[in-house]
Every structure is written in structure tokens, then in C-alpha cells.
């Protein structure tokens, strides 16, 4: 089913060129260019117009939202269960199990979330808002077209995680350390010169003999942010040997258990929780 961007022009935008108006509402230059040459294009008050049309107060604008690329041909469909937590015509939230990568390691392989999505949605391309490491379980937010992804990147999405960290952390705190990821290197490092701003808020939920159960709120979204930050304060994730943990466990446990989303189209606040939190 095709999606549409529909809006009534207010006096605030009267006199604005249509193309400029669409750019301000999240349409890329590529999407606008494609619409110019499409059989389905810009409509104002039910009539087709050009991208240089000057908007007037009360104009009813309707623009189709296309996927900017077809589904990837090299993604093999894999018949496996898919845990949907939320879905509408614009986005979907799925619950990824541990040890499942987001994408196949090589073209033509299966065994990833992308392969499973290709089976359940053979004609749909998805755009991942957040990506989880192979050993990180939990909620993945996917947009059903590039326009919705663009809007998601400009709206509010709060991400919360559960983890086990070595040692006894303080009751709560904020880790504010810049992180740098050099291409080709597995680890992300704290680097005050080249690193990008990275902030992680945490609350300790329970203490055990030699580790803690911790709830994390990501205030920024850098590669390996949680793993690198916890290691930097001397409390790596239990089993995360890449970041200096003891080798007592096969792999670390990290769960993206909660997403709070301001819907990019309706403005409604959505709260999605992973069922895996019940047995974490």
C-alpha cells in the first residue's frame, strides 16, 4: 500500500515554493527529483502541479512517499519467526534475539534479521533507525520508507537498555566521555581530541556478588557506546572480553528493552517494550 504525505498549508507557509516546503518537511532532493518524473507526483487541491508551485493558505497538498530503492536482490528470504512489537503503515518495531546479526556477513548468506524480514515482507525495503550488535538483543526500529527514516532522525526516540556489568556501580550517574572509532578497528576508544560527544545515563537496579544489573538511557548514539563507556569507568559488561571483561562467560548480555518514540507522522507517543526483559 502506497503512503502519502498530506497537509493543509497554513498562512505561515503561504508564498513558499513547493520544493522548499517539502525539503523543510523531510523530503530529500533525490525524492523530490524522482517525484518530478513520476506518474504519481505533487497534487494541490486534487490537481497535479510542478515543484516550483507557490503555495497558498488553505492549499491541500498530497505527495506520495516512495521507497527510494527496491528490496535488495542479494538478501535471501529465510523462513523464521519474527517478533513484532509494533507496526503501522509507516514503521515497525521488532524484537531481535541474541546472536542474530542485523545483516548477513556476506552476500548470498542467510541467518540475519534482514533475511527474516525479506521472507515476511518480500516486496518491502526497510530502513533501520537503530542497529544492534549481533550479541545485543532487543528492539529494532525500522522505517518503511526513506522519508519516514528522515523524519525519525529529527524527532524524539529514547532508547533504554538492560545489562550486567562487572563490580558494584554507584547508584546512578552520567558517563560523559567522547568516543572515537577508527575504521577497521574492533574497539571504540575514549579520545578527547578526535572523539565525538557521547553521553550515557545509568541507574543500578540490583547488586550481586561480583556484578550489577544496570539500566542505561542512551543520550547519544555512538558505535559501541554502552560497551566502551562501561569499560572506561572500570565496569565492563560481564563477558565482554573485547572491552576487558573476565572470561567467565561466553558473551556479554545487553538488551535494548525499551523505546519511547514520538511518531514521525501522527505525533503520538509510542512506548515499546521487549518481552525479553521478563527473563533477562
Amino acid at each position: 500500500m502506497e503512503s502519502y504525505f498530506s497537509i493543509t498549508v497554513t498562512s505561515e507557509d503561504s508564498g513558499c515554493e513547493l520544493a522548499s516546503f517539502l525539503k523543510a518537511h523531510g523530503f530529500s532532493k533525490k525524492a523530490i527529483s524522482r517525484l518530478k518524473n513520476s506518474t504519481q507526483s505533487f497534487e494541490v487541491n486534487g490537481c497535479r502541479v510542478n515543484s516550483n508551485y507557490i503555495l497558498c493558505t488553505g492549499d491541500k497538498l498530497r505527495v506520495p512517499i516512495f521507497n527510494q530503492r527496491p528490496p535488495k536482490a542479494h538478501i535471501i528470504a529465510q523462513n523464521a519467526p519474527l517478533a513484532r512489537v509494533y507496526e503501522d503503515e509507516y514503521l515497525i518495531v521488532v524484537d531481535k534475539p541474541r546472536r542474530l546479526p542485523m545483516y548477513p556477513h556476506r552476500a548470498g548468506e542467510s541467518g540475519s534479521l534482514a533475511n527474516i524480514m525479506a521472507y515476511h515482507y518480500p516486496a518491502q525495503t526497510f530502513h533501520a533507525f537503530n542497529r544492534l550488535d549481533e550479541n545485543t538483543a532487543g528492539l529494532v526500529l525500522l522505517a518503511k520508507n526513506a522519508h519516514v527514516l528522515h523524519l525519525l532522525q529529527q524527532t524524539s526516540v529514547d532508547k533504554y537498555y538492560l545489562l550486567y556489568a562487572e563490580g558494584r556501580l554507584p547508584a546512578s550517574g552520567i558517563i560523559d566521555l567522547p568516543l572515537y572509532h577508527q575504521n577497521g578497528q574492533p574497539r571504540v576508544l575514549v579520545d578527547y581530541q578526535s572523539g565525538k560527544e557521547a553521553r550515557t545515563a545509568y541507574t543500578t537496579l540490583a547488586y550481586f556478588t561480583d556484578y550489577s544489573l544496570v539500566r542505561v538511557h542512551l543520550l547519544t548514539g555512538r558505535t559501541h557506546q554502552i560497551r566502551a563507556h562501561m569499560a572506561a569507568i572500570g565496569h565492563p559488561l560481564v563477558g565482554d572480553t573485547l572491552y576487558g571483561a573476565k572470561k567467565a562467560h561466553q558473551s556479554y548480555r545487553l538488551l535494548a528493552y525499551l523505546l519511547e518514540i514520538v511518531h514521525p507522522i501522527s505525533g503520538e507517543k509510542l512506548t515499546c517494550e521487549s518481552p525479553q526483559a521478563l527473563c533477562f
Side-chain angles (χ1 to χ4, degrees):
M1 181 175 65
E2 197 65 71
S3 298
Y4 290 88
F5 170 70
S6 301
I7 193 170
T8 299
V9 178
T10 65
S11 57
E12 208 173 289
D13 294 304
S14 182
C16 181
E17 185 182 74
L18 176 56
S20 298
F21 179 83
L22 291 176
K23 287 177 186 176
H25 282 77
F27 282 79
S28 65
K29 290 182 180 179
K30 182 177 179 180
I32 294 171
S33 177
R34 179 179 177 182
L35 283 162
K36 289 179 184 178
N37 302 311
S38 173
T39 53
Q40 289 180 288
S41 189
F42 320 105
E43 287 186 10
V44 173
N45 303 324
C47 299
R48 181 165 176 159
V49 297
N50 295 323
S51 62
N52 61 356
Y53 174 87
I54 303 301
L55 297 170
C56 300
T57 302
D59 278 347
K60 297 186 183 303
L61 175 63
R62 186 173 187 261
V63 180
I65 302 171
F66 297 109
N67 273 310
Q68 293 192 356
R69 62 180 186 272
K72 293 181 175 65
H74 66 271
I75 299 294
I76 296 173
Q78 178 181 348
N79 184 358
L82 180 67
R84 301 171 180 85
V85 176
Y86 175 84
E87 183 175 12
D88 61 25
E89 62 182 305
Y90 303 105
L91 52 85
I92 180 171
V93 178
V94 300
D95 196 26
K96 185 183 85 68
R98 195 173 171 215
R99 299 192 182 94
L100 181 72
M102 290 283 295
Y103 303 100
H105 296 297
R106 299 177 185 83
E109 290 186 347
S110 59
S112 75
L113 179 62
N115 297 111
I116 298 170
M117 296 296 294
Y119 174 81
H120 291 276
Y121 299 88
Q124 175 74 54
T125 296
F126 290 93
H127 306 259
F129 175 79
N130 66 314
R131 293 173 172 82
L132 302 181
D133 294 337
E134 183 170 336
N135 284 318
T136 302
L139 303 178
V140 177
L141 173 58
L142 303 161
K144 292 188 175 181
N145 58 65
H147 174 61
V148 171
L149 175 64
H150 184 85
L151 295 179
L152 278 171
Q153 291 167 340
Q154 299 177 70
T155 189
S156 174
V157 180
D158 286 311
K159 295 173 281 187
Y160 297 86
Y161 292 72
L162 294 174
L163 60 91
Y164 289 105
E166 290 187 350
R168 295 174 65 88
L169 278 77
S172 62
I174 294 179
I175 307 168
D176 189 353
L177 297 171
L179 297 176
Y180 176 69
H181 185 208
Q182 184 176 350
N183 288 338
Q185 297 300 312
R187 288 189 57 170
V188 173
L189 304 174
V190 173
D191 189 322
Y192 289 95
Q193 292 186 333
S194 303
K196 295 181 179 179
E197 179 190 19
R199 299 174 71 239
T200 304
Y202 70 87
T203 302
T204 304
L205 302 179
Y207 294 110
F208 301 92
T209 303
D210 56 359
Y211 61 93
S212 305
L213 173 61
V214 184
R215 180 180 190 258
V216 161
H217 179 199
L218 278 184
L219 304 179
T220 57
R222 306 300 179 197
T223 301
H224 288 195
Q225 178 174 319
I226 294 173
R227 298 169 65 190
H229 267 176
M230 298 305 292
I233 63 170
H235 298 280
L237 275 62
V238 173
D240 192 1
T241 53
L242 178 63
Y243 284 92
K246 301 171 186 176
K247 298 182 179 180
H249 297 265
Q250 290 185 340
S251 62
Y252 61 88
R253 290 180 64 187
L254 180 61
L255 175 67
Y257 88 100
L258 183 68
L259 286 177
E260 293 180 341
I261 307 160
V262 175
H263 197 287
I265 303 298
S266 69
E268 174 189 4
K269 184 174 181 179
L270 304 174
T271 300
C272 301
E273 186 167 357
S274 168
Q276 296 181 74
L278 296 174
C279 54
F280 184 75

